Amino acid sequence: MSFASKLLVDIHTHVYLPRYTALLRSRTSVPFIRTTSTPEGTPEDRLLILDHEPSGGRPVGAQYWDREEKLKFMDKHGIDVSIVSTANPWLDFLPAPQAQALAFELNEDLEQYCSTAPSPTSHKIKRLYGFGLLPLVPEITTSALVDIVHQIGKLPHLRGLIMGTRGIGKGLDDEALDPVWAAIEKAGLVVFLHPHYGVDVNAWGDKDNGHVLPLALGFPFETTTAATRLILSGIFDKFPSLRLLLAHSGGALPVLSSRLASCIDHDPIVASRLKHDARYYLGKLYLDAVAYGPEELGFASDVISRAHRYKTTSSVVKGAADRSIGSKRMLFGTDHPFFPPLSSTEKWKSVTENLEAIEAVQGWNQEDKDAVRGGNAVSLFKLENSDGPEIL
């Protein structure tokens, strides 16, 4: 077995780079970082990224922006490689000229963050790689977005880009983004689709439940809706080589995929729009394995595994899916530095529980589990190619 196939690779791990952090500190409305005092009088930074943020925002510290803290976290948990991304809300809150300029700068910053990190061994695979930023804000020009896709594609340690769900104001299914999808596909970059806005806050009622409802339900449902809109837009028919990675194991999309297919079949507006049954397109997706339970991972794996059966039919296909097939499109992640343990001496549950879940999935053999832990990421992000994705 090769060295690379045994690596532990974290593909869902965030950083607020110093340039980005400085911007957040300069602001007085969401999103922003403000300094408050604890009851003991100790200064404390708090990050507010959502309206009506519970508990006055979340405490933040060096683990959010210091590379050494990222590497310490990786060392503590045996993580060999991280694919780092700027966390939400990215550049969504900025006017187009500022967002465009800052995207260029932050992509260069992230390349520097990754390229100057120490390498764990003499092997050419490095410890840090990144997802670049795309300034998907209203009034940005398509040519400006394509230029930044080209920039990301030329930075050797950036192997993809992260984006939210709002597109340039009309959502990711806006036809105005077709040239951008085409450029991403041609550059061989991976798109990491990550939520930020959740659902209408009124859905959560008046009872104080902290962050639980917006994070456990709102974020995954946002991903579900965005990914479904992309499927309905025919994006995977237009750009069949596009590689889309969904956060939080695809939200509710796996469990709702057959219901989605049925609704499409019975709707005169969309019934003839797609070349294949909706369930087929789930096999075009990649999912992070941030689900915290083996049953959830196993079910998502089943849905991916059966996808190819629906290329030519909309009838229910009988017979158990080969769960091993689905495992090849699932990748380990931690969501660091969010959800820290209550004690600094503890290991992070986002690491231990997700690794335990991978290990306990029934129907995955050892090769499958190793692939989810790291081998799939090595292949998807072309980590053994030191020059990055080939520009086609």
Side-chain angles (χ1 to χ4, degrees), residues 172-305:
L172 299 178
D173 53 358
D174 185 350
E175 288 82 359
L177 288 174
D178 280 1
V180 181
W181 294 120
I184 292 170
E185 181 186 49
K186 186 175 182 180
L189 297 169
V190 178
V191 176
F192 184 22
L193 181 59
H194 193 289
H196 171 70
Y197 298 97
V199 301
D200 189 331
V201 67
N202 293 319
W204 309 133
D206 297 328
K207 189 174 183 66
D208 185 1
N209 290 304
H211 287 92
V212 172
L213 290 171
L215 294 185
L217 302 183
F219 273 20
F221 186 72
E222 179 187 343
T223 301
T224 303
T225 303
T228 302
R229 287 175 62 179
L230 283 172
I231 291 172
L232 288 172
S233 75
I235 191 172
F236 294 109
D237 292 330
K238 289 185 281 188
F239 308 108
S241 298
L242 186 67
R243 299 183 297 167
L244 184 65
L245 169 65
L246 302 186
H248 312 125
S249 299
L253 184 56
V255 75
L256 294 176
S257 56
S258 289
R259 181 177 177 85
L260 170 64
S262 178
C263 289
I264 291 172
D265 281 347
H266 291 88
D267 193 302
I269 295 175
V270 295
S272 61
R273 185 184 296 172
L274 303 178
K275 292 182 179 179
H276 310 285
D277 182 272
R279 286 165 285 196
Y280 167 77
Y281 298 101
L282 271 76
K284 308 284 283 184
L285 302 172
Y286 294 86
L287 308 180
D288 75 14
V290 184
Y292 301 94
E295 295 81 9
E296 290 85 349
L297 292 179
F299 181 81
S301 176
D302 284 341
V303 171
I304 297 172
S305 296

Side-chain angles (χ1 to χ4, degrees), residues 7 15 63 81 107 119 122 128 130 151 162 164-165 169-170 230 246 259 277 323 337 364 375:
L7 294 174
V15 64
Q63 72 272 24
V81 180
N107 288 335
S119 183
S122 59
L128 296 174
Q151 178 209 18
I162 188 168
T165 61
K170 295 181 180 179
L230 283 172
L246 302 186
R259 181 177 177 85
D277 182 272
R323 201 167 262 194
W364 285 359

Side-chain angles (χ1 to χ4, degrees), residues 34-55:
R34 69 180 176 192
T35 301
T36 61
S37 295
T38 66
E40 295 75 28
T42 305
E44 180 181 60
D45 285 337
R46 284 188 171 265
L47 171 67
L48 292 87
I49 61 173
L50 297 169
D51 290 325
H52 315 291
E53 188 89 26
S55 307

Side-chain angles (χ1 to χ4, degrees), residues 100-119:
Q100 180 181 353
L102 195 57
F104 272 102
E105 293 171 340
L106 287 171
N107 288 335
E108 295 288 347
D109 290 350
L110 186 57
E111 172 65 22
Q112 180 76 2
Y113 175 97
C114 297
S115 65
T116 59
S119 183

Side-chain angles (χ1 to χ4, degrees), residues 24-105:
L24 295 179
R25 290 186 186 279
S26 72
R27 293 173 53 83
T28 57
S29 61
V30 170
F32 68 106
I33 293 175
R34 69 180 176 192
T35 301
T36 61
S37 295
T38 66
E40 295 75 28
T42 305
E44 180 181 60
D45 285 337
R46 284 188 171 265
L47 171 67
L48 292 87
I49 61 173
L50 297 169
D51 290 325
H52 315 291
E53 188 89 26
S55 307
R58 63 198 73 201
V60 295
Q63 72 272 24
Y64 279 73
W65 47 78
D66 189 326
R67 187 179 66 187
E68 292 308 308
E69 291 296 319
K70 180 71 72 180
L71 293 171
K72 287 179 185 177
F73 166 80
M74 292 169 62
D75 291 341
K76 182 174 183 177
H77 295 88
I79 297 169
D80 298 295
V81 180
S82 288
I83 316 291
V84 182
S85 54
T86 300
N88 49 306
W90 315 288
L91 305 173
D92 290 15
F93 55 95
L94 296 174
Q98 186 180 1
Q100 180 181 353
L102 195 57
F104 272 102
E105 293 171 340

